[in-house]
Amino acid sequence: CASGRATNDTAQSFCAPCLAGEYAGSEGTKLCSPCAIGKYATAQSSTACLDCEPGKHAAEKGLQRCENCAAGRFTTDTGLSTACEVCAAGRYSAAGSTTCEACRAGEYSSGEAGACTPCASGTAQALPGQSNCTVCAEGEVAPDLGAVKCKACTVGRYVLDGRCEDCQPGKVQPNAGATQCSPCQAGS
């Protein structure tokens, strides 16, 4: 039989093409062989199997195609047979990735993430590539998702339920970053 073809049966007298996922590398081959782990063959009559590309893997023999690394995983290797590597905390990747990207400031991930999570209201993260967000200090707010930094309420305002609010009539706050307003002094 020619390369890419085999009899595949001792009683068979004709040469048949190897199936996708199999190969016959040389003339006279009696049996088609399954592609090894980490390799694939998409077409019939293959004379060799190909290595999985970076970002993909093949954990079984005889595959017609390699599988993408799952979101939150990656590989830079070719011919990968095992599971792809996990993205570290503070990083993420889409399916089929060859690298993990750092989360932006205002976001975080705890690892093996397909996307980063924005910091929740009342928290912030100024640095990229982090595994958590920091709770705002007393007198500071971050009312929006994905805050990069917490901000102190301005003079005349105070923090209430994670937001800056104006002091009520008859009350005053002469300092920034306050958590309450004080009653006005008599005669003012």
Side-chain angles (χ1 to χ4, degrees):
C1 292
S3 297
R5 301 173 75 81
T7 57
N8 280 342
D9 187 337
T10 53
Q12 190 173 335
S13 60
F14 65 92
C15 297
C18 293
L19 301 174
E22 299 178 336
Y23 75 102
S26 59
E27 286 188 31
T29 301
K30 294 191 186 288
L31 295 173
C32 294
S33 299
C35 292
I37 292 174
K39 297 182 178 288
Y40 72 102
T42 58
Q44 290 186 344
S45 303
S46 292
T47 59
C49 297
L50 304 170
D51 285 339
C52 293
E53 300 88 9
K56 298 177 182 271
H57 70 103
E60 300 173 22
K61 290 182 178 180
L63 293 181
Q64 298 175 22
R65 63 183 174 84
C66 297
E67 299 291 326
N68 280 335
C69 292
R73 294 178 169 259
F74 75 103
T75 182
T76 57
D77 298 332
T78 58
L80 187 66
S81 58
T82 58
C84 302
E85 295 179 55
V86 173
C87 292
R91 303 182 78 74
Y92 72 99
S93 72
S97 292
T98 58
T99 62
C100 296
E101 303 292 328
C103 294
R104 297 180 303 213
E107 298 178 336
Y108 72 98
S109 83
S110 56
E112 198 170 347
C116 296
T117 303
C119 292
S121 176
T123 67
Q125 182 49 259
L127 302 172
Q130 300 300 305
S131 61
N132 59 23
C133 297
T134 304
V135 175
C136 295
E138 188 173 299
E140 293 184 332
V141 296
D144 300 321
L145 292 177
V148 173
K149 76 181 223 181
C150 298
K151 298 174 184 169
C153 293
T154 58
V155 171
R157 304 188 88 194
Y158 72 107
V159 176
L160 178 66
D161 296 328
R163 300 171 52 117
C164 292
E165 298 288 338
D166 291 332
C167 291
Q168 296 103 357
K171 295 194 174 187
V172 66
Q173 182 45 258
N175 302 312
T179 57
Q180 62 185 5
C181 295
S182 302
C184 294
Q185 291 183 352
S188 52

